[in-house]
Amino acid sequence: MTVRLPADPVPSDASAARRRPALLSSRLVLGVFLVLLLVVPAILSPYYVTLLNYIGLYAMVALGLVLLTGVGGLTSFGQAAFVGLGAYTTAALTTATDLPAWLAWVGASPWLTLVAGLLITAAVAVVLGSLTLKLSGHFLPLGTIAWGISLYFLFGTMQSLGGHTGISGIPPITLFGRALDDGREIYYLIWAFLLVAMLTTHNLLDSREGRAIRALKGGRVMAEAMGVDTARARMVIFVIAALLACASGWLYAHMQRFVNPTPFGVHIGIEYLFMAVIGGAGYVWGAIVGASVITVLKQWLQDLLPQLLGSSGNFEMIVFGVLMVLVLHRAREGVWPILKKLVPVRTAPKTIDTAAEPLPRRTLPAAGERILEAKNVTRKFGGLVANDNMSLEVRAGEILALIGPNGAGKSTMFNQLSGVDTPTSGEVLFLGKPVAGHNSREIARMGMSRTFQHVKLLPTMTVLENVAIGAHLRSDKGVLSAAWRLDRAEEARILKEAARQIERVGLQDHMFDEAGSLALGQQRILEIARALCADPCLLLLDEPAAGLRFKEKAALSELLRKLRAEGMATLIVEHDMDFVMGLVDRVVVMEFGHKIAEGLPDEIQNNPAVLEAYLGGVD
Ligand code: ADP
Ligand code: MG
């Protein structure tokens, strides 16, 4: 059986695609675009070829920002500094006459200085990234401004880099013995670089690493609980964006044959960010669109406005600023999604390979074996004792419910059990090992998988992709394999597993829908499928029935029963007594942080203390 799914991994407007009949194949559109690129230098005047060269160079930097800012949610104003790093490395090395022998050979060819520039940029990006990426909120953009300014002044101050006068006499790039010393010739190199960069970025986003990267914006807590190292993913996109900027700088230096600090300052860094945002920061193609719109618009305004308003003053920057604000108001997603709607393109269908080898599975502990044990757990928040000397255990093949009125301390207990929080005293053992001191990733790897009280999913990604994040820790292909498509066998295994879990929970009809389009009940079920995709031996569910309709609750009960029969240990934290009573094996009741009762559902339902807590509670 093969299942068809849309290939476009970046958020797409699915409803628009449904409304409009698909007309053109994406291959055809891409083919026309490539042919145009190929013939354009023969048709257009050198002026326009130069313009296209700049668009290509800018688009490469903007593409890094698509990955970093649009997809990863990290705003950087400092990309121009990385362009400068690439440009200055090659400028300095290829023009220097007094380099020591061990270094001189690098300056012999621009291709060697490209490698040198990429290595230097990667090293600088790792250092700057480890200093700034930990910053949250507006501190991160401020951090990028800070190092953007520092590098800019470094270029201008270092006498060996020519100070503010810069470096001239940079040789052209030679390719197959031919010097690319003309705008039309370097045009092909620039656009080849850009197309390769776009292809690899596109591939990367459509992979295991890509899902981790796409989870960075708004899904970090969830991703960590699924075993994703989000700090590493942030560093990865930061370095990739820096490398793209560096390559653009290298091309720029050899196109201009001259560099000075001006194009590498923070205000150009802001312009790069504008390009990404105006073009469509969430889309690979947004980079080209943004670079084109801004470059052409600026050029056009520069020519037009002096004729209208006289030639004194930078009127174009003022008009430009106003236009930016308008676009930010009117088209937040950028221009690319609007263009996409104008040209209805049919994307090549992708398939789930049902013949793919299944992912490895852990052997579940025998039914009745103790999986999770809390011993005298106390958690205090200042003077408030949210959990007071709580003990409980969960065994393989059983469902335990932790219930109690609002504010009883259930979520706090859930956090102690799942290792999100550490008890003030007492301990939690999972498969006999202490949970304390392990981060969510390690705990996920140990076999504990959770859902969230407030659903945490990536609304613009499909159900399939969301669930596939659950399999992150059962696979290991990284960025390079993804970029060059060497991860396809593993990716097929991941998607097959995700599809299997989606069918297991009964969401198969929504496999390719955007997760955000599902009803709340279905979203909760999706979270369970995602948790199952991690192949856990313990499921922790925080209020899974909250907000569900009667029928949805019944479906959830049935699913949990099925999992229990397969040997899964499940702990449900729930507020809804009716939902719990017909389903679970044992119940622990909390009130004001204490355990007030424990036993079989029937015993609990008739326990006077429990009835008092529920009837007299703040519900
Ligand atoms: P439940 O999930 O049963 O509704 P919670 O565990 O969320 O209850 O809360 C139990 C008590 O602990 C409440 O009084 C709540 O205000 C308090 N509490 C929970 N988390 C914190 C925190 N991080 N800091 C201070 N008080 C907290
Ligand atoms: Mg709660």
Side-chain angles (χ1 to χ4, degrees), residues 409-616:
K410 304 181 297 293
S411 291
T412 306
M413 189 63 195
F414 189 92
N415 289 342
Q416 314 306 312
L417 295 172
S418 57
V420 169
D421 194 12
T422 313
T424 314
S425 66
E427 70 172 343
V428 176
L429 300 175
F430 176 55
L431 297 172
K433 289 185 220 106
V435 160
H438 294 284
N439 59 33
S440 338
R441 285 201 303 283
E442 291 161 342
I443 289 166
R445 196 170 283 282
M446 287 155 78
M448 194 192 291
S449 208
R450 63 170 297 186
T451 63
F452 295 87
Q453 181 174 354
H454 304 288
V455 176
K456 289 190 198 301
L457 38 74
L458 301 163
T460 56
M461 277 166 57
T462 62
V463 169
L464 182 73
E465 289 175 310
N466 269 281
V467 173
I469 293 177
H472 190 87
L473 48 72
R474 298 169 70 190
S475 44
D476 60 8
K477 287 275 184 279
V479 174
L480 289 180
S481 349
W484 300 103
R485 282 285 192 247
L486 302 173
D487 63 339
R488 291 299 96 182
E490 187 189 81
E491 180 71 2
R493 297 175 73 186
I494 293 174
L495 293 183
K496 181 185 165 183
E497 174 68 4
R500 185 175 81 91
Q501 300 301 351
I502 290 167
E503 277 163 19
R504 194 174 177 192
V505 303
L507 279 181
Q508 58 277 8
D509 292 343
H510 299 285
M511 187 115 54
F512 308 121
D513 294 347
E514 282 187 6
S517 73
L518 300 187
L520 178 65
Q522 293 169 322
Q523 296 190 349
R524 288 198 185 279
I525 301 276
L526 183 159
E527 284 214 328
I528 295 176
R530 186 178 64 202
L532 289 174
C533 209
D535 189 31
C537 60
L538 173 68
L539 265 185
L540 293 183
L541 311 176
D542 197 355
E543 305 224 1
L548 296 205
R549 289 188 292 255
F550 180 74
K551 268 195 167 168
E552 294 173 325
K553 284 185 193 174
L556 178 62
S557 284
E558 188 171 338
L559 170 64
L560 295 177
R561 278 198 192 94
K562 203 163 80 182
L563 294 173
R564 169 172 60 192
E566 293 170 19
M568 184 73 70
T570 308
L571 175 90
I572 305 180
V573 169
E574 217 3 292
H575 171 83
D576 181 339
M577 270 251 255
D578 297 333
F579 170 74
V580 157
M581 289 307 169
L583 166 70
V584 307
D585 300 287
R586 286 187 307 119
V587 184
V588 170
V589 190
M590 288 183 80
E591 192 188 17
F592 302 125
H594 308 275
K595 177 154 83 177
I596 56 165
E598 176 167 12
L600 302 174
D602 284 344
E603 298 166 4
I604 294 298
Q605 269 167 312
N606 300 314
N607 183 314
V610 176
L611 293 176
E612 168 62 24
Y614 265 81
L615 296 176

